[in-house]
Amino acid sequence: MSDANWGTPIEVALPSWAVALANTASPCRTDEARVALAIALARGNVEHGTGGPFGAAVFEEATGRLVSVGVNLVETRDNAVLHAEVVALMFAQRALGSYTLASPPAPVAHVLATSCAPCAMCLGAVHWSGVSRVLIGATRDDAMAIGFDEGPVFPESVRYLEARGITFVEGIERASARAVLQRYRELGGPLYNG
Ligand SMILES: [Zn+2]
């Protein structure tokens, strides 16, 4: 078996509207403002038709400086692992030039804000990413209510990460996060892992 594409890089590029949004974002010092940006990314992805109803962003914990953004690119890139959280973590690590966002070796701690509770894969990515906190909008139940499968995320999975120093805060701006999920369903968006 041969494949002419074996040597070709896989492109992970943000939609231009998301780049524009990131370029105009102010530092977000509160947890609410950080999740609100993740939700704005999720909403943009739905309204622009560029992917699933999920957005995420990485910030410097102390200053609120935006380090990276991510949106769900599963459908547009034909790639099941390109969830918003994974995309945001990949761009954050490229920005730092490091495979870890932990402090140290990074000079400051980093926090991941996401519009919806991480699925099983993203929880794993969070574990390896080096972020110290995860700020969550909509809950796992909210995602499952519109038909998305979050996979094997168990209470003990979260406790495992918490025992290793990662803090989770759920339900921030939940109503607005849930509204994006409902809007996606109203528009008939595909459930690629439902
Ligand atoms: Zn995920």
Side-chain angles (χ1 to χ4, degrees):
M1 179 181 166
S2 65
D3 186 325
N5 291 328
W6 275 347
T8 308
I10 294 174
E11 184 178 280
V12 181
L14 292 166
S16 56
W17 65 262
V19 174
L21 196 156
N23 280 334
T24 55
S26 303
C28 296
R29 293 191 175 81
T30 67
D31 289 354
E32 289 74 17
R34 293 168 185 182
V35 174
L37 181 65
I39 296 169
L41 288 158
R43 189 182 304 114
N45 219 24
V46 174
E47 299 300 339
H48 289 87
T50 45
F54 305 102
V58 173
F59 299 89
E60 287 184 0
E61 180 71 279
T63 64
R65 185 180 77 82
L66 180 64
V67 178
S68 71
V69 300
V71 293
N72 179 286
L73 298 171
V74 169
E75 268 215 291
T76 44
R77 294 290 166 189
D78 292 323
N79 190 323
V81 306
L82 294 182
H83 290 192
E85 299 96 319
V86 167
V87 172
L89 292 169
M90 288 171 69
F91 277 105
Q93 291 172 347
R94 187 185 68 174
L96 265 68
S98 169
Y99 60 81
T100 179
L101 305 173
S103 172
V108 296
H110 292 87
V111 54
L112 173 72
T114 176
S115 66
C116 188
C119 74
M121 174 185 72
C122 290
L123 203 62
V126 162
H127 178 42
W128 304 120
S129 70
V131 297
S132 57
R133 289 203 306 144
V134 181
L135 311 173
I136 299 165
T139 66
R140 169 183 170 85
D141 287 347
D142 295 335
M144 292 175 75
I146 69 158
F148 278 105
D149 184 355
E150 291 270 87
V153 177
F154 308 110
E156 50 269 45
S157 317
V158 174
R159 284 200 293 272
Y160 182 97
L161 270 66
E162 286 175 334
R164 282 152 185 81
I166 303 174
T167 305
F168 291 81
V169 187
E170 193 173 70
I172 302 168
E173 305 286 348
R174 181 181 175 188
S176 130
R178 194 163 41 187
V180 174
L181 298 175
Q182 287 161 353
R183 172 74 174 148
Y184 184 77
R185 184 170 65 174
E186 285 163 13
L187 290 172
L191 298 169
Y192 43 81
N193 70 345

